[in-house]
Amino acid sequence: MSLLVAAAVGIPMAFFTSRRNFPGRRFILSLSAVPLCVPTLIVALGYVSFFGVNGTFNKIFHTHITSLYSFTGIVIAQGFYNFPFITGVITDVWSQLPQEQKFAARMLGASEPRVFFTVTLRQLAGALAAACMPIFLCCFFSFMIVLLLSPPGVSTLEVEIFHSLRTTLNLTEGAKLAILETVTTMGIMFLYLQLTKKSQASSSDIDFAVRRKKLPPAELIFLLPLEILIFLFFLAPLISVFVSGAPKFAQVFSSPRFYSAALNSLYIGCCTGFFCTLIAFVYSMAVKLSGHQGSALLQTIPMLPMAISSVVISWTAAVIFHRGSVPLLIFLQTMMYWPLAYRQIQSGINRISPETVSAARLISRGPLDAVLRVYIPASLPVLLSAFAFTFATSLGDATMPLILSIRDFDTLALYTYKLAGSYRFDQASACGALIAFITMIVVGVIKK
């Protein structure tokens, strides 16, 4: 259901951003980075702050809406949180689709709706499926949003596994659910890889970038409701985190636990970002130099960690090592998040021109010399970008620290979750705003 909401908003908006010029187009496209660098914990806090019983929405309109804490609230929160990813991916492809088939269909008398469903939609099928699969996995593994917003009786596999392992201590039931969840996601991951291949295979048909037209006044009837929904269910909750947390900044800053948690988060985030980037670069170079970039096995290996949830892998590590520790947390985060770095680094290395590769082979003493003198400088922008996104992902991760239960240890995300769990939502919003602020600074500076 969350995926359907994301697609229902993301696909129509992709039409406008790829085919029309209108005020706010670039801003809408810039939102595609939000699902990658804003933790789900912040989104959950935003919805509590804006749509909660004592939230901004109820105060402004003098209502008493409580539907946030329901299945519907969870679906809306997850759907609108992920829609920018679909918009960004589909816009890139839709703005460069070949036009010959559409022109031929129009000449044969096909109406615009028929052209869309019989030509355009078929051309977008691979990219659409490839964009939807990661969102489905993200919603399937949803933990923090469900944990904070779910009413009694509403749960997911991920939350049930957590309760079985930490609350009821029913390890047998938790293990069965973990196996069921992992087998299911492995099958979904296999389907995702097949669809990604199809999308990449069809990329050779991409034509020149289509010139965008000025937005016709009649289409405002469709664009304005979309923009209102995006503001209400996406931007307003994120803004509300900063607004609700602002009065509590001084109180948060006065707590010694905050500074300890902040230093722990920065240390773990930097270590995780560094190791994720290093492993992803080494693997990307090994694939590049081997000459087997089209190998299904080599492309499948980096995707396997995405099929295992953070709750399952954290619990498994806790059972094996009997006690959580900071090095173990860094190791687990690195193993979980390096595929995020790999996708960015691989695309950057693949964009290095054949002339540069040939020159590297001629002037370098060997493969290692070529890597140090050519590939690293040429890939530096994507290396920094990969570090930024894995740092941001680590910074917002409250699940692994929560499961590992490291003694006398907090991260900013875990500290924020504990504040929210004790119903101190304003202080939690203040901490959440600081996490989002740090993330935006790091990602913005590195991308700049």
Side-chain angles (χ1 to χ4, degrees):
M1 292 297 292
S2 299
L3 175 59
L4 293 179
V5 172
V9 178
I11 295 174
M13 185 53 71
F15 166 77
F16 289 108
T17 52
S18 61
R19 295 299 177 131
R20 300 291 184 263
N21 276 320
F22 61 93
R25 175 184 173 275
R26 290 187 177 181
F27 176 73
I28 292 291
L29 289 176
S30 71
L31 297 178
S32 60
V34 171
L36 298 175
C37 60
V38 175
T40 55
L41 175 63
I42 309 304
V43 177
L45 288 176
Y47 269 78
V48 171
S49 176
F50 190 73
F51 290 108
V53 176
N54 297 315
T56 307
F57 186 87
N58 284 332
K59 289 179 180 178
I60 292 176
F61 295 99
H62 303 288
T63 57
H64 190 67
I65 298 175
T66 59
S67 57
L68 172 64
Y69 305 99
S70 64
F71 175 79
T72 303
I74 295 172
V75 167
I76 291 176
Q78 293 187 151
F80 276 89
Y81 168 68
N82 287 294
F83 96 87
F85 183 78
I86 290 184
T87 297
V89 172
I90 300 301
T91 297
D92 289 340
V93 178
W94 204 336
S95 60
Q96 301 180 71
L97 288 180
Q99 303 295 297
E100 292 81 3
Q101 295 181 24
K102 296 176 66 173
F103 292 151
R106 291 191 185 104
M107 290 180 64
L108 292 173
S111 62
E112 286 300 321
R114 187 172 182 181
V115 170
F116 173 77
F117 286 106
T118 58
V119 178
T120 306
L121 203 56
R122 289 172 63 90
Q123 293 173 323
L124 291 173
L128 180 60
C132 289
M133 279 297 168
I135 293 177
F136 178 84
L137 288 173
C138 176
C139 297
F140 189 80
F141 286 143
S142 181
F143 182 69
M144 279 298 163
I145 290 180
V146 178
L147 206 60
L148 290 177
L149 301 185
S150 63
V154 176
S155 185
T156 61
L157 274 176
E158 191 82 337
V159 174
E160 284 302 308
I161 293 171
F162 172 75
H163 285 312
S164 297
L165 303 178
R166 291 294 302 275
T167 306
T168 63
L169 300 179
N170 190 341
L171 301 185
T172 303
E173 184 67 21
K176 290 179 180 179
L177 292 174
I179 293 172
L180 174 63
E181 182 185 61
T182 304
V183 170
T184 303
T185 51
M186 285 289 186
I188 294 170
M189 183 59 64
F190 176 78
L191 177 61
Y192 167 68
L193 290 170
Q194 298 302 315
L195 293 170
T196 302
K197 287 181 186 177
K198 180 180 178 182
S199 177
Q200 291 173 345
S202 63
S203 63
S204 59
D205 296 330
I206 288 180
D207 204 352
F208 56 87
V210 177
R211 187 174 182 179
R212 293 184 300 274
K213 300 178 182 178
K214 187 177 179 180
L215 183 71
E219 292 184 1
L220 281 173
I221 300 174
F222 303 98
L223 179 60
L224 284 178
L226 273 178
E227 291 182 330
I228 292 172
L229 288 174
I230 290 170
F231 175 80
L232 188 62
F233 293 105
F234 183 82
L235 293 175
L238 294 179
I239 295 171
S240 184
V241 172
F242 289 88
V243 174
S244 299
K248 297 294 183 178
F249 281 147
Q251 187 173 349
V252 169
F253 283 134
S254 64
S255 171
R257 290 184 62 189
F258 166 78
Y259 292 99
S260 174
L263 289 175
N264 291 335
S265 290
L266 293 175
Y267 172 72
I268 291 173
C270 289
C271 290
T272 300
F274 172 77
F275 287 119
C276 285
T277 305
L278 177 63
I279 294 173
F281 178 73
V282 170
Y283 188 83
S284 297
M285 286 308 310
V287 173
K288 176 76 172 179
L289 297 176
S290 70
H292 296 91
Q293 292 170 281
S295 170
L297 177 61
L298 293 178
Q299 296 301 326
T300 301
I301 290 174
M303 298 297 103
L304 293 179
M306 295 178 62
I308 306 174
S309 75
S310 56
V311 170
V312 172
I313 197 171
S314 302
W315 172 71
T316 304
V319 169
I320 294 173
F321 296 99
H322 304 293
R323 184 177 179 180
S325 64
V326 173
L328 179 61
L329 176 59
I330 294 172
F331 174 77
L332 293 180
Q333 287 190 344
T334 300
M335 292 299 100
M336 286 289 295
Y337 303 145
W338 79 268
L340 302 177
Y342 171 72
R343 295 306 296 266
Q344 297 186 54
I345 293 173
Q346 183 196 35
S347 64
I349 289 177
N350 289 340
R351 286 198 296 268
I352 297 175
S353 65
E355 293 80 7
T356 303
V357 175
S358 300
R361 290 173 180 169
L362 287 173
I363 66 174
S364 301
R365 300 185 185 92
L368 181 59
D369 188 51
V371 169
L372 296 176
R373 296 176 59 187
V374 178
Y375 285 104
I376 289 181
S379 307
L380 189 58
V382 290
L383 292 176
L384 292 174
S385 180
F387 172 84
F389 282 118
T390 48
F391 171 86
T393 306
S394 171
L395 193 70
D397 179 23
T399 303
M400 285 189 179
L402 179 65
I403 302 297
L404 291 177
S405 299
I406 303 171
R407 183 176 298 176
D408 299 324
F409 180 85
D410 272 334
T411 62
L412 273 180
L414 181 58
Y415 182 53
T416 303
Y417 169 74
K418 289 179 178 179
L419 289 174
S422 59
Y423 299 99
R424 290 182 285 177
F425 288 110
D426 287 343
Q427 293 182 44
S429 295
C431 282
L434 291 170
I435 294 174
F437 184 67
I438 294 171
T439 299
M440 287 187 293
I441 289 178
V442 172
V443 174
V445 168
I446 288 181
K447 288 185 75 67
K448 182 67 173 179

